[in-house]
Amino acid sequence: MKSLTDLTFDNRFARLGDAFSTAVLPEPIAEPQLVVASHAAMTLLDLDPAQVDEPMFAQLFAGHKLWSTAEPRAMVYSGHQFGSYNPRLGDGRGLLLGEVVNAAGQHWDLHLKGAGQTPYSRSGDGRAVLRSSIREFLASEALFALGIPSSRALCVVGSSTPVWRERQESAAMVLRLAPSHVRFGHFEYFYYTKQPEQLQALAEHLLACHFPDCREQAEPYGAMFTRIVERNAELIAYWQAYGFCHGVMNSDNMSILSITFDFGPYAFLDDFDAQHICNHSDDTGRYSFSNQVPIAHWNLSALAQALTPLVEVEALRASLGLFLPLYQAHYLDLMRRRLGLLNAEDSDQALVERLLQLMQGSAVDYNLFFRRLGEQPVDIALASLRDEFVDLAGFDQWAADYSIRAASSDDNQTERRARMHAVNPLYVLRNYLAQQAIEAAEQGDYGPVRELHAVLSRPFEEQPGMQRYAERPPQWGKHLEISCSS
Ligand code: AMP
Ligand code: MG
C-alpha cells in the first residue's frame, strides 16, 4: 500500500506533445474539504485508504499541491454536439494531471475536473460546482459496482470558492480515473483540421497503450475500430438493460475505450419509460433512453469518418455493420440473466419486448421489478407484481409465457433467487437520492453522500438499516430537471 507521495507517474499522453495538449497548472479552490472518497478507486492506484485522513489528500485534489512528476495538460478535441459539428472543444475545465502506474503495471489517468480555465474554456469559468461533482462521483462508482464499464472517481473536494450558475454555488473538483481519456472527438479534431500525421500518431498511441492485440493484426487500425464497435455494443447493452440514460451522447463525451464517460444530466430510470429524456436541455429527445442505441451507432459512424485516412471505407462499413447484431445479442443475454433464464430460446426477444411494452405507461419501477421477480417463487412473484400493470390481460399472458420459460431453467427457488439477486440491484442511484445527498452536502453535511456511496458500492446485497435507499421514489423525486454542464 502506497502513500500519496509514493505514486509513480509515466505520462505517455503528455509525451505526444503540444499538438495534442497544452501544459496548464490547476488553479486551486479555497479552503478545500474532502467531501467523499472511494476506497475501491484508491486501490487502483495501490493507495492506502488511510491516506484520505492526510491533510495533503484534499490539497492535492483541490489543486493546492502537485506531484513533481505530474505533467498537467489540457487535451484538445472536437466533436458532434447534438448532431452538429463543433470544431473546437477540449478540456475546458479539467486537466489530465498525469498517468499513475500501479504495482500491476496498469496506467491510470488522473484527471482533475473543475481545475480552472484552459485554452479550451471558451467563455466558461473552468469550474465545476459541488452538485455536478458529486453526481459524477456517485455515478462512476455506482456503475462500476453494477459491473457496467465506466470511468472511476477517486474523490470530490469541496471549497468556499464561489461559482455563478443560475445562483451562486461553490466550486468543487472531482478526481476522475480512467485508463485513457481519449474520446471519439480526439480523432475528429485531427481529421477535420487536416492533420493526418497527428491522426496517425494518436492511433499509434492507442494501439501501443490500449489495444496491443490489435497491433498484431494485418490491419491494426481497422482491427482497433472493430474492437471499439464491439465494446460499444456491449456498453450500450448494459445501459439499456439496467435503465441507464446518459443524457449527452455527444461524440466528445464518448470514450475510445467504450466506458461510460462524462457524466452530466444522466439518470437511471425509475418508472420504465422508453422515451425518457433525462437532459432538460434536450428539447427534441435526441438522447432519449431508447435513442441511445441508434445514437451510439451514429457516433461510431462519426468516428469511422474521422478514421477514413487510416482505414479503407469498406472495412469501416463492415465493422459498423457489426454494431446492431452485437448489441442485440449482448442485450438479450443481459435481459435473460435479469429474468433468471438459464438458456436461450428464439422467443426471448419477443418476451422481453412484450414485458417492456406492458411496463410502458404502467408506472412500473424498472429495476425493482426484476428484484421482486427473483425474491419469491415464480408464481407468487408474478401474482404480487400483477397489480402494478394497467393491461392485466396482457400481463397474464406474459406471465403464463414467462412461467413456462422459467420452468425450463429448472432449479430451486433458493438458487434462482441468489442467481437473480446477483444481477438485479436492490439499490439504484436514483436522481432523488443523489439530490438529497447533494442538498445535505451543500449545507456542509457530507454524511448522506458518503452513506449513499457506501450503499451503492454493494448494490446487490441487502444492507441492514438501509431500506430507505431501496424504496420507490416519491412523486417529486421522479421529475427532477437536470441540464447539461454545470
Ligand atoms: P460537457 O457538457 O461537460 O461535456 O462539456 C462540453 C465542453 O464544454 C467541453 O469542452 C468542456 O470542457 C467545456 N466546458 C463545460 N463546462 C465548462 C466550464 N464551466 N468552463 C469551461 N469549459 C467548460
Ligand atoms: Mg464533455
Side-chain angles (χ1 to χ4, degrees):
M1 282 288 149
K2 288 183 178 172
S3 71
L4 286 161
T5 49
D6 294 337
L7 296 183
T8 307
F9 283 85
D10 175 25
N11 307 318
R12 302 174 300 185
F13 192 87
R15 289 200 290 273
L16 287 173
D18 291 345
F20 297 82
S21 62
T22 308
V24 181
L25 287 175
E27 262 176 70
I29 44 178
E31 301 181 82
Q33 277 194 311
L34 180 64
V35 175
V36 61
S38 165
H39 290 178
M42 288 173 75
T43 62
L44 301 172
L45 309 180
D46 309 319
L47 272 179
D48 181 352
Q51 290 288 297
V52 295
D53 300 322
E54 297 293 326
M56 202 205 291
F57 193 88
Q59 287 168 2
L60 276 166
F61 301 120
H64 286 262
K65 281 191 179 340
L66 193 63
W67 294 268
S68 60
T69 46
E71 292 177 75
R73 313 280 298 191
M75 298 188 286
V76 61
Y77 52 83
S78 61
H80 281 84
Q81 297 185 309
F82 288 89
S84 307
Y85 185 63
N86 186 333
R88 198 169 152 95
L89 292 162
D91 287 335
R93 54 158 171 178
L95 294 175
L96 178 59
L97 296 180
E99 296 166 55
V100 166
V101 191
N102 67 16
Q106 297 159 329
H107 284 65
W108 285 95
D109 279 5
L110 267 55
H111 186 100
L112 193 58
K113 195 162 172 179
Q117 287 175 319
T118 77
Y120 314 107
S121 298
R122 297 173 289 162
S123 56
D125 58 8
R127 292 303 187 196
V129 296
L130 182 60
R131 95 188 117 90
S132 67
S133 306
I134 289 177
R135 280 176 54 84
E136 168 134 11
F137 175 91
L138 288 173
S140 314
E141 294 305 283
L143 284 175
F144 166 73
L146 287 172
I148 303 179
S150 176
S151 60
R152 303 291 304 277
L154 190 83
C155 63
V156 174
V157 178
S159 78
S160 60
T161 299
V163 176
W164 285 95
R165 294 295 181 258
E166 286 90 33
R167 59 184 168 102
Q168 184 178 319
E169 300 187 47
S170 61
M173 294 191 194
V174 57
L175 195 283
R176 177 164 65 192
L177 299 172
S180 169
H181 275 66
V182 173
R183 306 145 187 264
F184 288 14
H186 277 84
F187 280 100
E188 294 182 276
Y189 173 76
F190 292 113
Y191 172 74
Y192 287 105
T193 53
K194 302 196 169 42
Q195 300 185 68
E197 283 165 23
Q198 278 75 13
L199 188 80
Q200 186 161 3
L202 182 65
E204 283 298 329
H205 164 81
L206 286 164
L207 280 173
C209 301
H210 304 288
F211 296 87
D213 48 328
C214 295
R215 228 181 181 179
E216 317 299 321
Q217 312 267 323
E219 301 288 345
Y221 305 136
M224 181 165 73
F225 182 65
T226 305
R227 187 62 47 82
I228 294 167
V229 170
E230 289 166 354
R231 288 190 190 162
N232 242 267
E234 190 167 358
L235 176 69
I236 305 302
Y238 270 112
W239 289 1
Q240 300 313 111
Y242 282 89
F244 179 78
C245 218
H246 181 282
V248 204
M249 289 178 69
N250 293 338
S251 61
D252 52 296
N253 290 338
M254 296 295 108
S255 154
I256 209 77
L257 300 182
S258 308
I259 55 180
T260 315
F261 199 68
D262 257 19
F263 295 90
Y266 68 82
F268 277 92
L269 296 182
D270 292 311
D271 295 348
F272 180 79
D273 177 11
Q275 275 82 50
H276 184 67
I277 302 166
C278 63
N279 183 349
H280 185 53
S281 327
D282 182 5
D283 300 328
T284 61
R286 179 179 171 88
Y287 299 139
S288 72
F289 179 65
S290 58
N291 269 1
Q292 296 192 122
V293 182
I295 286 290
H297 188 261
W298 193 95
N299 283 331
L300 287 163
S301 312
L303 176 62
Q305 179 69 45
L307 292 175
T308 48
L310 299 176
V311 187
E312 292 291 332
V313 169
E314 280 315 314
L316 290 166
R317 204 168 279 159
S319 303
L320 276 173
L322 299 173
F323 177 78
L324 268 177
L326 279 175
Y327 160 76
Q328 203 44 258
H330 282 302
Y331 175 72
L332 264 186
D333 194 44
L334 290 169
M335 294 304 281
R336 278 190 197 102
R337 281 194 255 166
R338 297 207 71 180
L339 288 167
L341 305 176
L342 286 171
N343 62 338
E345 280 186 19
D346 290 344
S347 57
D348 290 344
Q349 183 167 342
L351 193 73
V352 170
E353 282 170 6
R354 279 167 57 207
L355 174 63
L356 298 185
Q357 269 158 24
L358 289 162
M359 283 184 174
Q360 183 75 33
S362 280
V364 175
D365 188 273
Y366 180 63
N367 276 296
L368 282 183
F369 173 86
F370 296 98
R371 186 78 182 189
R372 289 176 58 195
L373 188 63
E375 181 66 27
Q376 292 178 300
V378 175
D379 47 346
I380 300 174
L382 288 170
S384 85
L385 286 162
R386 183 177 189 268
D387 288 346
E388 305 266 323
F389 290 81
V390 172
D391 176 2
L392 290 179
F395 181 77
D396 289 342
Q397 186 57 54
W398 184 85
D401 293 343
Y402 172 72
S403 300
I404 294 167
R405 279 295 283 115
S408 68
S409 303
D410 186 25
D411 55 351
N412 66 42
Q413 171 57 16
T414 312
E415 282 170 20
R416 176 177 173 270
R417 181 177 183 277
R419 190 175 72 238
M420 288 180 71
H421 280 11
V423 293
N424 291 324
L426 178 60
Y427 307 107
V428 179
L429 177 54
R430 298 175 185 277
N431 261 344
Y432 93 98
L433 291 174
Q435 188 58 28
Q436 287 176 333
I438 287 165
E439 283 169 18
E442 285 177 338
Q443 301 304 314
D445 177 6
Y446 304 141
V449 66
R450 292 176 185 182
E451 183 170 270
L452 179 57
H453 165 236
V455 169
L456 294 172
S457 65
R458 291 185 289 134
F460 303 110
E461 275 170 57
E462 194 164 342
Q463 300 168 43
M466 299 300 162
Q467 173 55 29
R468 83 169 194 87
Y469 292 103
E471 277 160 15
R472 298 191 60 166
Q475 274 310 321
W476 67 263
K478 291 184 183 176
H479 307 290
L480 296 170
E481 290 182 348
I482 299 178
S483 42
C484 266
S485 281
S486 42

